[in-house]
Amino acid sequence: MNALSTSEPLAAFQLWLAERREPCAEIITGLKTAQPIRLDAEGLAAEGWGADIPEGWAVAPGESLRIGGYDEDRGIYDSDVFAGDGSERRTVHLGIDIFAPAGTAVFAPLGGRVHSFQDNNHIKDYGPTLILEHAPEPGLTFWTLYGHLSRESLNGLHPGKTFAAGETIACLGDFGVNGGWSPHLHFQLILDLGGRSGDFPGVFKRSEREAWTQVCPDPRPFLGRVNL
């Protein structure tokens, strides 16, 4: 399957999403009351942060979670991880970021199994990463990616390990293990892994934006957050 040319997986996923009977389990406690955050130039300015997230900024225990980021064109991706293969850098974010304190538990949104996992240990990369595979009905398979986890979250995992909806799958990592980012979960829907394992780009070139939004659709309706 060519990940950049087909809309069939998207149509099948959207049909399932429209007809599903049970909503997803909350992947982080407090998600329903999380406050929006934008990390494009306008959003950073609104926070009073200048051109990047301030070093050391984190959501404190007891504070409202912050959530946002899908299809957002960001200038904060300045490490070599995002250099791309030519003159155009990867800047468009195709997941949701949920900022919460380090150590916060992450839960499976629906039943699935471990597809793959690894520690993507590079500056401004995911750090420890988990990919779950879901097959909620015959003929439909998709994946969910969880980035910026704690290293301990990878202990005891193996391909094929199953999780039920609402079961704890991981915890958020701190600055030192999650690529140097403020503690948060990068959550991404993927309809075609393209043979990848343990990793999948969460940021794409602006010129490929239309194609990749079909491969990685907006996760907000899936999570039950459509009012961001």
Side-chain angles (χ1 to χ4, degrees), residues 34 47 62 75 81 85 131 155 180 186-188 193 209 212 223 226:
E47 297 286 343
V81 171
D85 54 5
I131 298 176
N155 294 340
H186 173 94
F187 175 82
Q188 187 166 339
L193 272 175
R209 191 178 204 163
W212 281 107
L223 295 176
V226 295

Side-chain angles (χ1 to χ4, degrees), residues 119 128 149-157 169-174 177:
D119 189 353
L149 308 177
S150 68
R151 289 209 171 99
E152 292 76 13
S153 295
L154 304 186
N155 294 340
L157 296 180
I169 58 173
C171 293
L172 298 188
D174 212 336
V177 300

